[in-house]
Amino acid sequence: MDEKRRKGLEKMNEVYGWEMPNIEGDPYFDLTVDHLFGSIWTRPGLSMRDKRIMTLTVVTAVGNADLAEIQANAALANGELTETELKEMAIFLTHYLGFPLGSKLDGVVSSVIKKRKKAAERGEGEDKKANVNAAVHMHSGGKVHDNHGK
């Protein structure tokens, strides 16, 4: 693995809060890891918290609840945002994006909080396998890969 890929995967793991597999030979995944996470998410000037807030805002604005769930869960796992701050984001964004999109984020945040609390009560972490599968699917142009654990 070259330095660019290593740097991108490290940042991707930090952003998502779990270990992403390295998928070889998928041009879309290559671009995502090497450019988005290796070059864009690693740029100085904005904190991880700033980038997380911006990402949550954008995915809420376009109505992408799946990505909002991944981002909200990672924000909590990484300590970048609290449950209260995520709920306040939903309230705030509702007044700029409209009720349907803002309430969708509120529902996502409530669901993430509930799932994390149930997992904690069982002595488990959040459902990382489901999150990894969702992220791999999203970052590989919707293609299904059989080497997620490799």
Side-chain angles (χ1 to χ4, degrees), residues 73 111-128 131:
N73 193 46
S111 175
V112 166
I113 291 168
K114 184 178 178 181
K115 286 177 187 176
R116 292 178 66 81
K117 285 184 179 173
K118 282 186 178 182
E121 288 169 4
R122 291 189 310 266
E124 304 168 356
E126 67 279 2
D127 185 1
K128 289 185 179 186
N131 287 337

Side-chain angles (χ1 to χ4, degrees), residues 92-132:
F92 185 83
L93 289 176
T94 295
H95 293 82
Y96 286 91
L97 301 176
F99 187 82
L101 293 172
S103 65
K104 186 184 280 188
L105 177 60
D106 184 65
V108 164
V109 169
S110 295
S111 175
V112 166
I113 291 168
K114 184 178 178 181
K115 286 177 187 176
R116 292 178 66 81
K117 285 184 179 173
K118 282 186 178 182
E121 288 169 4
R122 291 189 310 266
E124 304 168 356
E126 67 279 2
D127 185 1
K128 289 185 179 186
K129 182 174 173 144
N131 287 337
V132 169

